[in-house]
Amino acid sequence: MKLIADTHCHTVASTHAYSTILENVAAAKKKGLKYIAVTDHTGVMPGAPGCWYFQNLSVVPREIDGVKILKGIESNVLGPSGRIDIPEFKESCSSR
């Protein structure tokens, strides 16, 4: 089986990762991947980037050096109800 994508990449914006988007792209290209998904944590996770980071992702090209960039987030499941933290994060971003 030939892998073509890494669908869960963090950047230094998530504070526990060690690479920038450009470094992730370079590593993906070296491994022959066609896609990476940048999925940093939402702002409610300790050490996660703020709203500014996700808003600024709009300037990141859809493709860099032949590797397509998929932009997303890693959300968190809150308690046994299975509710996710995206609504809280979106609300906190829109109030700024």
Side-chain angles (χ1 to χ4, degrees):
M1 172 177 23
K2 179 171 173 25
L3 296 177
I4 62 165
D6 184 340
T7 59
H8 189 102
C9 296
H10 289 313
T11 69
V12 292
S14 282
T15 69
H16 63 276
Y18 301 98
S19 303
T20 65
I21 291 174
L22 292 176
E23 290 168 334
N24 284 340
V25 165
K29 182 174 180 159
K30 185 175 179 181
K31 293 177 187 289
L33 299 178
K34 303 290 182 202
Y35 300 87
I36 62 167
V38 177
T39 55
D40 285 299
H41 291 280
T42 57
V44 297
M45 178 81 162
C51 298
W52 56 268
Y53 171 78
F54 295 99
Q55 292 163 346
N56 286 340
L57 280 178
S58 65
V59 302
V60 174
R62 292 180 184 260
E63 185 173 323
I64 300 173
D65 205 16
V67 177
K68 291 181 175 58
I69 312 296
L70 308 172
K71 302 167 198 171
I73 62 169
E74 180 178 346
S75 62
N76 301 289
V77 177
L78 305 173
S81 69
R83 188 171 55 86
I84 58 174
D85 62 1
I86 294 172
E88 289 87 346
F89 181 64
K90 285 174 70 176
E91 185 177 299
S92 71
C93 287
S94 63
S95 66
R96 292 177 188 202

